[in-house]
Amino acid sequence: MSAVPPVPEVQHPPAVRSAVRKIFRRVVPLFFVMFVANYMDRVNLGFAQDELRADVGLSAAAFGLGAGIFFIAYAIFEVPSNMLMERFGAKVWLTRIMISWGVVATAMAFVNSAEMFYALRFLLGVAEAGFFPAVIYYFSRWLPDSHRGRATSIFLMGSGTATVIVGPISGALMEMHGIWGHAGWQWMFFIEGIFSVVLGFVVYRFLDSGIETAKWLTDEEKTGLVAVIDAEQRDREDRRGTARVSRWKLLADPQMLLFLWIYFAINVALYAVTFWLPSIVDDIGGLSDLQVGFLTAVPWLCAIAAVYVSGRISDRIGKRRPVLITLLLLGGCGTLLAVFVSPWVGLGALCLAAMGFKPASPVFWTIPQSYLDARAAAPGIALINSIGNLGGFVAPTAFGIIEDTTGSTKGGLVGLTVVGFLAALSVLLVRGGGRNDRVRTRPAKTPAAPAPEATPGAARTARPGPAAA
């Protein structure tokens, strides 16, 4: 197979390149840390499960409902949050998001009833809604197109990093049980929540509302950067036209329905493993909270390596569907194996599950990107993301009900196996991203000229939504 020639790098003026380097040193690392804190406050609940349920009197079903209700609030308030972000600006809105979610995460330390548990998890979803779009919007106003992909990749690495470090950190904080009369889970929620609050004030200190107000950029850097970004924005508007695509019309496309189901299934599997992995590891027995924390990091370390390898393979062979099918089958086989083996071997099986389900999300997003017309990409990807993320509600809720009914997590693991296999079979029905497979939109009504034809290159300009926000 002949090698694909590399795309030539865009050459910007020296002042623009200097400005971009400063942004990557000052802003991008801060967003990375923010995503680590965001993901940690979202999923640390799994490490508090046993102690929290015992102290508050929660059943497995009640715990699963509380874990999942976060995603209901997140889905409901994502669009209103984005609208308010455009009104107040990304700097103010990101600061608000950070501090409000930190306050709610801290308040989790004082949960004393199922009703309070549900309310705080719902409020956490309200507080975090709009975080990812706000960061992507910030990048769009501060970086040229040629550098946004790398910035977004670094930002998204925060999710993978959080899955690795949340176990050891939360496990260590759980060891504080009994200090000043408080339980370990209370210390964990309080300290990790306070970290997010403090980080919110740091965000306000280091972020600027616009390029023009950044004192750490020279006048030449500001002028050059604004000129490049504005020119790219005008070019996008000229190429894409002004046509808007209704989400309801997209639902009439069978391929879009397949995308919705597949991404929903990926999230069901991924969040079920995320929330219930600590409990499954704890079944090994004889382990301290810190040891449980370190062991839960092992599957995610394997998953990060799998994300890199699967991405390289997918790009090299240029065929996304076989890679995605393989990953979903691997995840399903891993969860199925965990049902029938000893706890220690089961941990290895869950490593296979994480290596399958975690990389499935980024590989999946390349398929709708190549399928959708450029003007249908934005609403299409938003629809897939909003519906698919509801898998984060279904997964822990169903897992909890199954454990309450059967007294074991094995039934939930069998369910994940079925979900993984069905999703893999569904990928076989997805058409490739060829030119004739794209979702077409009606051109804007302009008397001067016909709307531009969608091309494979134009379709690739669309960017995916949050892949395990």
Side-chain angles (χ1 to χ4, degrees), residues 270-309:
L270 187 57
Y271 277 108
V273 174
T274 299
F275 280 117
W276 291 87
L277 178 61
S279 177
I280 294 171
V281 172
D282 193 48
D283 289 340
I284 293 175
L287 299 175
S288 66
D289 289 328
L290 183 60
Q291 290 172 324
V292 170
F294 274 108
L295 286 176
T296 55
V298 174
W300 302 121
L301 281 171
C302 298
I304 289 177
V307 169
Y308 176 78
V309 172

Side-chain angles (χ1 to χ4, degrees), residues 119-422:
L120 287 177
R121 286 294 295 180
F122 186 86
L123 288 176
L124 188 64
V126 175
E128 289 193 22
F131 170 67
F132 185 91
V135 173
I136 300 305
Y137 174 79
Y138 199 95
F139 285 154
S140 72
R141 303 311 305 155
W142 279 77
L143 288 170
D145 275 340
S146 56
H147 292 82
R148 287 178 204 160
R150 184 159 63 97
T152 304
S153 297
I154 294 173
F155 169 60
L156 289 175
M157 286 171 61
S159 169
T161 302
T163 56
V164 173
I165 69 173
V166 68
I169 292 176
S170 298
L173 294 176
M174 292 284 291
E175 293 285 331
M176 297 176 65
H177 183 81
I179 296 179
W180 293 344
H182 295 293
W185 62 269
Q186 292 178 303
W187 282 111
M188 182 197 71
F189 284 130
F190 186 82
I191 293 175
E192 292 179 355
I194 288 295
F195 173 75
S196 294
V197 174
V198 173
L199 186 58
F201 288 102
V202 174
V203 168
Y204 191 80
R205 168 66 179 81
F206 282 92
L207 289 186
D208 293 276
S209 298
I211 294 174
E212 298 83 355
T213 62
K215 297 180 180 179
W216 41 278
L217 293 175
T218 66
D219 290 339
E220 186 180 6
E221 289 169 341
K222 294 177 185 177
T223 303
L225 200 56
V226 170
V228 168
I229 293 173
D230 287 348
E232 290 177 345
Q233 178 62 29
R234 289 192 298 270
D235 181 62
R236 281 192 296 271
E237 291 174 354
D238 291 341
R239 286 187 288 108
R240 296 186 182 183
T242 58
R244 292 185 177 272
V245 181
S246 167
R247 295 186 183 187
W248 298 110
K249 290 183 179 179
L250 288 173
L251 284 173
D253 179 27
Q255 291 296 298
M256 279 297 298
L257 295 177
L258 271 176
F259 292 147
L260 291 174
W261 150 246
I262 293 168
Y263 190 56
F264 175 83
I266 291 172
N267 277 287
V268 166
L270 187 57
Y271 277 108
V273 174
T274 299
F275 280 117
W276 291 87
L277 178 61
S279 177
I280 294 171
V281 172
D282 193 48
D283 289 340
I284 293 175
L287 299 175
S288 66
D289 289 328
L290 183 60
Q291 290 172 324
V292 170
F294 274 108
L295 286 176
T296 55
V298 174
W300 302 121
L301 281 171
C302 298
I304 289 177
V307 169
Y308 176 78
V309 172
S310 62
R312 289 290 300 271
I313 294 174
S314 175
D315 286 343
R316 182 178 295 274
I317 68 176
K319 297 179 180 179
R320 316 296 185 178
R321 291 189 303 169
V323 176
L324 181 56
I325 291 171
T326 301
L327 291 172
L328 291 171
L329 290 176
L330 177 64
C333 290
T335 53
L336 181 62
L337 181 62
V339 175
F340 300 105
V341 297
S342 66
W344 277 109
V345 180
L347 178 61
L350 290 176
C351 288
L352 295 179
M355 291 170 65
F357 292 135
K358 186 71 173 177
S361 181
V363 172
F364 163 81
W365 278 115
T366 62
I367 300 176
Q369 276 185 280
S370 63
Y371 174 78
L372 292 167
D373 178 281
R375 286 164 291 173
I381 289 173
L383 179 64
I384 295 169
N385 184 63
S386 59
I387 299 298
N389 270 319
L390 292 178
F393 168 76
V394 173
T397 303
F399 225 86
I401 293 174
I402 291 172
E403 182 179 341
D404 268 352
T405 304
T406 65
S408 171
T409 58
K410 291 184 177 181
L413 293 173
V414 172
L416 290 187
T417 301
V418 174
V419 168
F421 288 167
L422 287 177

